[in-house]
Amino acid sequence: MSQLSRARNAAALLALPLLLTACSAAGGEQSAADAGPPKAGGTLRLGISSAPDCIDPQQTATNASINVARQLVDSLTDQDPKSGEIKPWLAEKWESNADSTAFTFHLRAGATFSDGTPVDAAAIKTSFDGIKALGTKAQLGYGYLAAYKSTTVVDPRTARLEFSAPSAQFLQASSTVSLGVLAPAAFQKTPEQRCQGNGLVGSGPFTFESLKQNQEIVLAKRKGYTWGSSLFKHQGEAYLDKIDYKIVPEPGVRTGSLASGQLDAITDVQPVDEPQFTSNGFTENIRPNPGVVFNLHANTTRGVLTDEKVRQAVLKGVDRTEVVNTVLTPSYKPATSILGSATPLHSDLSAQLAYDQKGATALLDGDGWVPGADGIRVKNGQRLSAAVVFSPVFNQNRSVLELIQQQLRKIGFDLKIEQHTNAETTQIQLSGNYDFLWYNVTRADPDILRGQFSTKAGNRSRLTPGNPLDVALDAQSSTVDNAKREPSADEAQKLIVDHAYAVPVFELTQVVAESAKAHAVDFEASSRLQLFDAWLS
């Protein structure tokens, strides 16, 4: 895989249109009932919005890539989309030590990789050591395994993973596709070969069949598969014989192909196209993302954003409801925290995020910012202005930012909009050469905040080490007990909003449309397509 491809993948972390939790559009369940019980057989023709750069589960970062890779591998655990609870999959049970630096997994019997070798503790060790060895090529797994030391094979069905620092987040991470288990044989191939499907040997319900660059990817049913997740709706083999991912970047072509019957289902239905798939035999599966919502993430060391009152005024000056009602659709939700409402341990801070134009102007008046001739405020010769850097991964990004720009002008703030490619945005973020970053990141665990805000990790706010937010983020990472973890996760969310280190705006939603022929094109808790239970009439 080229350096440019890897950069594009990494950039997708800034603004990924990823997904989560549950509820079909009205009529979806009835349509499935009318079709009768699920049937085995057939090829699902699924239109996706971009070409995966890499389909190795352990290297993927873009939504398109993960939606393919998730079908190829099983994970140690699974996560309930509704409750966030971690459930058995390859591991029947597990324990962690008191400070979450060691996790012991007891594997189920009988699971095998597609080359016939067993999913045993030795294979688990090879797989996790292999992810760690990938370094930053394991674009999501690299963060999940930052403190990973080693795996000990206790016995053939028992593996103990050890970490150098408290890693409560690892239990949820063990349910993700990024830590999906590959066979030892897979690591005889280079990372670049695995990206193209060569040597991708997993234990999942589907196997890799073929890839035509920028055109399609085909997966085939794994015969004899009987070790599905405890959350799957049926046991045994998948229903579908094959999944044919058709790569259709243009939204209008994608929707037209579904409407005309050339495709059975499509991902990434745009807000303007949603109405045509809510009736006439079509259904929509709609899910808000867990993780960090779309937000204006402030660099607190730059320009006017060094002033906390300015950042707080911007937070009050954004009308989130107007953004959703004007640019998006009712499928999307105004942000109620820096975390999406589908994220475990989300705190409802909607009162603090209410639109308050008068409060914003009062803050700026009291801080000495005086309206200039053009309406933009000035203080000591400095204009009240900052730029936001974004990439157009989500089609509505520019429209949303232009509306926010209009809203902030009402309080005398000049928001400049700077569009860049994914690769350029990644480099700007790494260099710290920005005022605001516009992005979202999906993960069904509050530890996602540590990756963006901790001074030991992403530190996109450019905070000073040892601040109260660091303390809260470290505390929530030290225990898997949600009762103990919740207060620190709540504190972290409140600190981010109170100090306006970031300005949450809206929760990204993924909308999948299905024809009358397609059923259960669904998602798992980390917002990736899960097609084991999908079937065709």
Side-chain angles (χ1 to χ4, degrees), residues 17 144 283 377 393 429 449 527:
Y144 301 160
T283 55
R377 293 173 181 261
V393 178
Q429 180 256 308
L449 295 177
S527 307

Side-chain angles (χ1 to χ4, degrees), residues 242-404:
K242 293 188 180 184
I243 305 168
D244 187 355
Y245 294 87
K246 300 288 189 182
I247 298 159
V248 189
E250 174 54 48
V253 176
R254 217 164 45 248
T255 55
S257 297
L258 177 61
S260 65
Q262 296 175 67
L263 295 172
D264 303 309
I266 59 172
T267 66
D268 300 289
V269 178
Q270 298 303 305
V272 68
D273 296 319
E274 283 186 42
Q276 66 180 296
F277 297 122
T278 56
S279 59
N280 301 320
F282 295 99
T283 55
E284 291 177 346
N285 213 354
I286 299 169
R287 295 166 186 268
N289 286 37
V292 175
V293 300
F294 265 115
N295 72 99
L296 296 163
H297 196 135
N299 180 345
T300 63
T301 66
R302 290 262 295 196
V304 301
L305 300 183
T306 59
D307 186 337
E308 183 168 304
K309 290 183 179 178
V310 168
R311 300 196 306 269
Q312 291 169 334
V314 171
L315 185 136
K316 291 177 180 292
V318 174
D319 187 341
R320 295 155 186 82
T321 301
E322 184 183 36
V323 168
V324 169
N325 291 345
T326 304
V327 181
L328 304 171
T329 71
S331 300
Y332 296 77
K333 296 181 179 180
T336 56
S337 175
I338 186 63
L339 292 177
S341 57
T343 318
L345 305 184
H346 160 271
S347 297
D348 186 352
L349 305 178
S350 49
Q352 292 91 316
L353 293 175
Y355 178 51
D356 183 7
Q357 183 179 342
K358 290 182 179 179
T361 55
L363 273 172
L364 295 173
D365 288 340
D367 201 30
W369 292 95
V370 180
D374 61 354
I376 300 304
R377 293 173 181 261
V378 180
K379 179 180 177 181
N380 299 328
Q382 183 180 26
R383 278 172 60 85
L384 189 58
S385 177
V388 56
V389 170
F390 85 103
S391 55
V393 178
F394 177 54
N395 281 20
Q396 270 60 48
N397 272 344
R398 175 169 283 280
S399 297
V400 168
L401 289 172
E402 287 175 348
L403 179 54
I404 293 172

Side-chain angles (χ1 to χ4, degrees), residues 23 42 66 101 104 159 257 291 293 327 336 375 392 423 430 436 463 477 480 486-487 489 498 527:
C23 84
I66 292 170
T101 57
T104 301
S257 297
V293 300
V327 181
T336 56
L430 292 172
F436 283 119
L463 302 177
S477 72
V480 296
E486 186 167 14
D498 288 348
S527 307

Side-chain angles (χ1 to χ4, degrees), residues 163-222:
F163 295 78
S164 60
S167 300
Q169 58 82 28
F170 172 71
L171 189 57
Q172 187 275 337
S174 72
S175 73
T176 67
V177 66
S178 304
L179 301 187
V181 181
L182 288 173
F187 298 95
Q188 296 172 15
K189 300 293 185 179
T190 66
E192 291 73 21
Q193 286 174 317
R194 294 204 305 272
C195 269
Q196 301 305 310
N198 184 359
L200 269 189
V201 182
S203 66
F206 292 90
T207 59
F208 172 76
E209 183 170 292
S210 64
L211 181 154
K212 293 180 182 176
Q213 204 67 49
N214 298 316
Q215 296 180 49
E216 70 174 355
I217 298 168
V218 179
L219 308 184
K221 178 195 296 193
R222 168 80 190 277

